[in-house]
Structure formats: structure tokens, C-alpha cells
Amino acid sequence: MEVKTQQHTSERILYVRLPCNPIFPIGVVYLSDHVHKQFPNIEQRIFDLGTVPPLDYTSALDRCIDEFKPTLLVFSWRDIQIYAPVGGRGGNPLQNAFEFYYAKNPFIKLRGALGGLRIFIAYYVELWRNLGLVKRGLKLAQRYHTEARAMVGGGAVSVFYEQLNKSLPNGTIVSVGEGETLLSKLLSGGEFRDERCYVVGEQAPRNRLIHEQPTPLEKTACNYDYIESIWPEFNYYLSEKDFYIGVQTKRGCPHNCCYCVYTVVEGKQVRINPADEVVAEMRQLYNRGVRNFWFTDAQFIPARRFIDDAIELLQKIVDSGMTDINWAAYIRADNVTPELSDLMVKTGMNYFEIGITSGSQELVRKMRMGYNLRTVLQNCRDLKAAGFNDLVSVNYSFNVIDERPETIRQTIAYHRELERIFGADKVEPAIFFIGLQPHTHLEEYAFKENILQPGYDPMSLMPWTAKKLLWNPEPLGSFFGEVCLQAWNRNPNDFGREVMKILEERLGCAPLEEALSAPIENKQKQLVGV
Ligand code: B12
Ligand code: SF4
């Protein structure tokens, strides 16, 4: 045991956040904080490629490894997916895909094809570049320490861990979901393979690995004095005042929404971080000038039984005297009470996202989302009455399951009601097309309906696969394709609102009551039955 302890306290851990838009790298911050609390003598360094210009990626990584000489490289890979409804890294991928798949005008189709090709190339270049950075970093580290190892984890790895098996160097530890206990076990020299991970070249990932429960962990406030000391570029995110700095208040989501993988990445069991610890963490950031926080929870109020926890946290923020902050989060608006509304406004919530996906109660039920749309409306009214006067983003994904003209009319009615509550300029309809993700009910449904075959590659961007993953099936697929193209054409800067307008022009608007009532029927097709 003694030998093992000695061996592992001599580890030098380099956390490399792989290239990514500059979103605060809260994942590696928490991992290094956790390791420091468990093994205070281990030397660590954070290196964030999100703050490095693309041409300098390799030279900056080389320099960092030459200087720090790590024995363990912890690569954190945040995102791979590109179907954003807004401008992505290589243009607007959704627009290009829709132009290519649905445009009738051959020139627009060609423009879509060329744009799509550019994104296709950028996507694979990015993928290979990140894999190349892992290989390069490991090789270089092994020049200084032959036994140096690499681990990869993070949001993108959690979703695509099975596919990455083929492309990473042998011996790489691939981690799914939170990595704290995996790192603890690895560093204490014990068996770590019972955590949600596998080792490339040793064994194939266990079947249903992602569905295993994460090991429970009591989270304490991150020690930012320490983080500052191991992360030379920490100030990058503090100097620009408009960054929303991530703070996690809980992990897990108990719901079952058909397209969502968060609930398996984080697990269904909700684990609340003690409110005092969350506030203590925010206070450290606050003292460094941070005023904008993003509560990075899968859902800030995952279910009614967590309302009291949210109240406790917000009340403690009020008591802390941090009165000039703003915060944002994903909020299940069906769990907002008048008391919570009041606290949300008091503590400076100035943006939130509601992922209802459809304004038709019937479809919301079929997608297994567990929302009562009537309750959501009532709670939004309470929030407005409490003085909320900022932006709400409402996520809609048309055509997920059983969409019909009447359900579209219901969604329009629902959205118009939200506009009446908050003001049309305050409600942003964010039109997403569901990117089908592995390990979701929607994937099961696609297998069952023969839309996809088991063994398909969810990371593929080949047009024939991408069209299926960019979930927009016929018979309504071409209709939505055309509506979206028209919206980009008419008002590219306000795409979501324009889509709603065109849909209303073409199909009309249902009475609100129709949207809110869902007749019970037992159709084979609905996901509730998968
Ligand atoms: C909050 C969130 C956001 C917020 C972030 C706000 C902020 N300021 O931080 C917002 C809304 C802005 C956002 C945006 C986007 N997001 Co987002 N987001 C999330 C969410 C819900 C939580 C991420 C988070 O911070 N968690 C808390 C921290 C502590 O966890 P973590 O970073 O994952 O790190 C932990 C583990 O991953 C692990 N770990 C991390 N690295 C490593 C490395 C090793 C070696 C090990 C062992 C472990 C490990 O340990 C860490 C500590 O426990 C995740 C889904 C989820 N539930 O995880 C999606 C997620 C990360 N987002 C995703 C995507 C795609 C995006 C967008 C690109 C969407 C889009 N198409 O527009 C945009 C990016 C926008 C941009 N500007 O580029 C994907 C990424 C995977 C993918 N599909 O490619 C995820 C996983 C959702 C999903 N299932 O698709 N997002
Ligand atoms: S969509 Fe939201 S509420 Fe539904 S399972 Fe995912 S995180 Fe939970």
C-alpha cells in the first residue's frame, strides 16, 4: 500500500480541454479540484485549448507538455455534435443540410451541397484533429515518462464512447459521465474498471455501460485559489464580463424524455450539492469579479420533490448578499412555484430555457416528457407576476413523433400564449431538429421502425445517415424543410419567430384549450409504448 501511495503521489496530471468554443471548462476544474482534495501532493496543471487560436493548437500543446512533463493526460472533450439551429463553427449546418435535402431550386440545392461539404470536411477535420492531439500529447509525454497514460472523457465522449474505441491509442482509459471517482480509484492504485469506463485495446466497452449508476459523491465548494494556481490562463474567462461561468448545483435527471441522453449520462438519481457549498463556490468567483453564472445542471429543478432544494439554494444566495448577479439555467417550468418565482427574480435569473419540445400536450405525452403544459403556463404567469422581465428560450422540435397539421396548430397556439404572458420580444422560439443520439428511446424507436439498423454509426456525417440522425421523417419532413428554407430566406436573423409565423400563415392556430388537452388513445406508434 505504501509503495502505491508513493507511486501515485508522484503523478503529474495535465488536464487538456480539447478545442471548443470558449465555454468555461467546468469539467476539468471540478476534476482537478477533486483530485487535489484527495491527493494534495499531486502536481496538476490545466491547459484549455478553448482559449488557443486553431493554428497554435499543436505548438501550444507541445510547449505545455515539454514544460510540465505529465505522467497522466486527462483529455476533456466537450462537444462533437454540430446541428445547431444557429451559426455553428463552419456556418449554419442545419441550413446547409436543409438546402441540400429539401431545396427545389437547383442553385440553392447546390449551395446547400457545397456548404454541407464544407461542414462535412470541417467536422471530420475537427474529429481527426482532436484524436491527433490525444495521440500527439501522449507520445510526447511518453518521451519524458515511458509509463505516461491518457484518459479521455467529457460530454462528447460520454455520448460517443463506443465509437471512439476504434480511434484512440491502446491503453487509453475512456470515461463515461462524471470522472471524479474514476480518477480517485486510478490514483490510489486500486481497480478502477468497475467505474463507468473501459480501456482501449483491453476489452470492448461493457454492454449498457452508460446505463450504470455513477458512484455517489459528496460535492464540496471548488477551491478557486487552488484552481488559479494550476491554471495560468484562468483569467481569460474573468476578463470578459459576459461569460456565464459554470456552477453545478446537482447531478442527474429522473425523467425519460425520448430523445434525451442527459438522463443516462448523469444518471436518473438526482444528487444535490449542499447549498452552502454552492454558495461558497459562487462567492469565490464573485470575489474575482464574476457576476454571470450558469447552473450547469441537466435541469435546475428536475422534479417537484426538488423544489425545496432550489428554494434553499436561492434563499442562501439572497442571504449571501450577492445581489448584483445574473444567472441562467435549463428550467423545467412545471416545477416553478410562486415562492420560487419570487426568489428567481430576486437572485437575478435573467435567462432560462424551457425544453417543452412541442406545444401539444398529446405529443408531449407521447415523447414521454412528463410535462403538464397547463401547469407550465400557470407557472410562467406566476413568474411574470413576480417581476420576471427577461428572456425565455422555448425549445421546439417539430416532427419528433406523430406530428400532424393539428398538433402544429396547437404548438402555435401554445407559443402565442407564452408570448401573451412574457411579451413577444421576450420569448425566443428556438427551433431545434432533434439530433438522434445513441442510448435514447428515440434510437430504440428508430430501430423498431426500421429507420436505423443496429450497428449504424451515430457519429457519421455521410448524407444518408445524417439525414436520418437529423430527425425529420416524412411525410412532414419535406414540408418542414421548405418552411425552414423560407424562414432563412425571409428573415435569417430571427429564424425561430419566422418559422412560427410561416407555420401560422399556412396552417392557422388552434384554440389554446385543444393544445392543453390530450385525448388518451392507444396507438402502437407512440413512444410511450416502446
Ligand atoms: C449546461 C450545458 C450547456 C450550457 C453551458 C453553459 C455554460 N456556461 O457552461 C449551454 C446551454 C450554453 C450549452 C450549449 C451547447 N451545448 Co451543451 N450541455 C450542457 C450540459 C447540460 C451540462 C454540461 C456541464 O457543464 N456539466 C457539468 C460539468 C461539471 O460536467 P462536464 O463538463 O461534463 O464534466 C464532467 C464529466 O464529463 C467528466 N469529465 C469531463 N472531462 C473528462 C475527462 C476525463 C479523462 C474524465 C475521466 C472525465 C471527464 O467529469 C466532469 C466532472 O464530473 C451537457 C449535458 C450533460 N448533462 O452533461 C450539454 C452538452 C455538453 N452540450 C452539448 C452540445 C452539443 C452543446 C452545443 C454545441 C449545442 C448546439 N448544437 O448548439 C452548445 C455549444 C454552444 C457553443 N457556444 O459552442 C453536448 C455535447 C456532446 C455532443 N453531442 O457533441 C452535451 C453533452 C449534450 C448532449 N447530450 O448532446 N450547453
Ligand atoms: S430533456 Fe430535460 S427533463 Fe427530459 S430527460 Fe433530458 S434533462 Fe431530463
Side-chain angles (χ1 to χ4, degrees), residues 113-185:
L114 293 176
L117 184 66
R118 212 178 54 234
I119 286 167
F120 177 91
I121 293 169
Y123 171 80
Y124 281 104
V125 165
E126 209 165 287
L127 210 58
W128 290 326
R129 186 204 56 213
N130 280 9
L131 292 166
L133 287 168
V134 173
K135 289 175 193 157
R136 184 185 181 96
L138 179 61
K139 249 197 192 140
L140 195 52
Q142 284 173 339
R143 272 203 222 149
Y144 298 104
H145 303 280
T146 44
E147 74 293 356
R149 297 191 81 165
M151 307 174 78
V152 298
V157 177
S158 298
V159 178
F160 300 111
Y161 66 97
E162 286 167 316
Q163 288 68 38
L164 291 170
N165 188 17
K166 292 178 229 118
S167 351
L168 288 162
N170 275 351
T172 307
I173 302 167
V174 180
S175 160
V176 175
E178 58 199 62
E180 282 89 344
T181 47
L182 167 61
L183 270 166
S184 292
K185 285 190 180 173

Side-chain angles (χ1 to χ4, degrees), residues 250 252-255 270 272 299-304 306 332 335:
K250 63 187 71 59
C253 178
H255 291 279
V270 176
I272 309 278
Q299 287 295 342
F300 183 62
I301 323 161
R304 296 201 75 76
F306 303 108
R332 276 199 62 119
N335 301 324

Side-chain angles (χ1 to χ4, degrees), residues 253 255-257 259-260 262-263 298-299 332:
C253 178
H255 291 279
N256 253 324
C257 306
Y259 51 79
C260 181
Y262 295 15
T263 179
Q299 287 295 342
R332 276 199 62 119

Side-chain angles (χ1 to χ4, degrees), residues 21 23 26-27 30-31 74-76 78-81 84 151-156 159 175 177-180 182 244 248 251 261-262 266 294 296 330 437:
N21 283 344
I23 295 179
I26 187 69
Y30 280 1
L31 290 176
V74 173
F75 288 98
S76 184
R78 190 188 189 281
D79 54 58
I80 288 181
Q81 194 139 25
M151 307 174 78
V152 298
V159 178
S175 160
E178 58 199 62
E180 282 89 344
L182 167 61
Y244 276 72
Q248 200 175 35
R251 291 181 177 175
V261 71
Y262 295 15
E266 295 195 12
W294 189 292
T296 60
Y330 291 123
Q437 297 203 321

Side-chain angles (χ1 to χ4, degrees), residues 69-252:
K69 304 183 180 52
T71 57
L72 182 63
L73 286 148
V74 173
F75 288 98
S76 184
W77 193 339
R78 190 188 189 281
D79 54 58
I80 288 181
Q81 194 139 25
I82 55 157
Y83 285 126
V86 288
R89 285 189 276 277
N92 183 334
L94 187 65
Q95 181 173 3
N96 282 304
F98 272 33
E99 286 181 350
F100 175 62
Y101 293 132
Y102 302 116
K104 295 207 172 78
N105 178 329
F107 292 108
I108 305 234
K109 212 175 183 61
L110 181 67
R111 185 175 75 181
L114 293 176
L117 184 66
R118 212 178 54 234
I119 286 167
F120 177 91
I121 293 169
Y123 171 80
Y124 281 104
V125 165
E126 209 165 287
L127 210 58
W128 290 326
R129 186 204 56 213
N130 280 9
L131 292 166
L133 287 168
V134 173
K135 289 175 193 157
R136 184 185 181 96
L138 179 61
K139 249 197 192 140
L140 195 52
Q142 284 173 339
R143 272 203 222 149
Y144 298 104
H145 303 280
T146 44
E147 74 293 356
R149 297 191 81 165
M151 307 174 78
V152 298
V157 177
S158 298
V159 178
F160 300 111
Y161 66 97
E162 286 167 316
Q163 288 68 38
L164 291 170
N165 188 17
K166 292 178 229 118
S167 351
L168 288 162
N170 275 351
T172 307
I173 302 167
V174 180
S175 160
V176 175
E178 58 199 62
E180 282 89 344
T181 47
L182 167 61
L183 270 166
S184 292
K185 285 190 180 173
L186 180 76
L187 293 169
S188 54
E191 180 52 64
F192 60 85
R193 290 169 186 77
D194 54 342
E195 286 293 315
R196 299 203 298 169
C197 71
Y198 69 91
V199 181
V200 177
E202 248 181 36
Q203 81 252 72
R206 290 187 292 280
N207 193 22
R208 293 178 61 81
L209 168 58
I210 195 170
H211 296 275
E212 293 168 14
Q213 288 303 310
T215 312
L217 174 80
E218 178 88 346
K219 174 86 173 64
T220 53
C222 178
N223 174 353
Y224 273 102
D225 285 338
Y226 173 68
I227 296 300
E228 203 165 26
S229 74
I230 62 163
W231 183 9
E233 295 83 26
F234 176 53
N235 269 327
Y236 178 94
Y237 292 93
L238 302 191
S239 50
E240 301 260 346
K241 295 287 174 230
D242 56 344
F243 279 118
Y244 276 72
I245 304 297
V247 173
Q248 200 175 35
T249 82
K250 63 187 71 59
R251 291 181 177 175

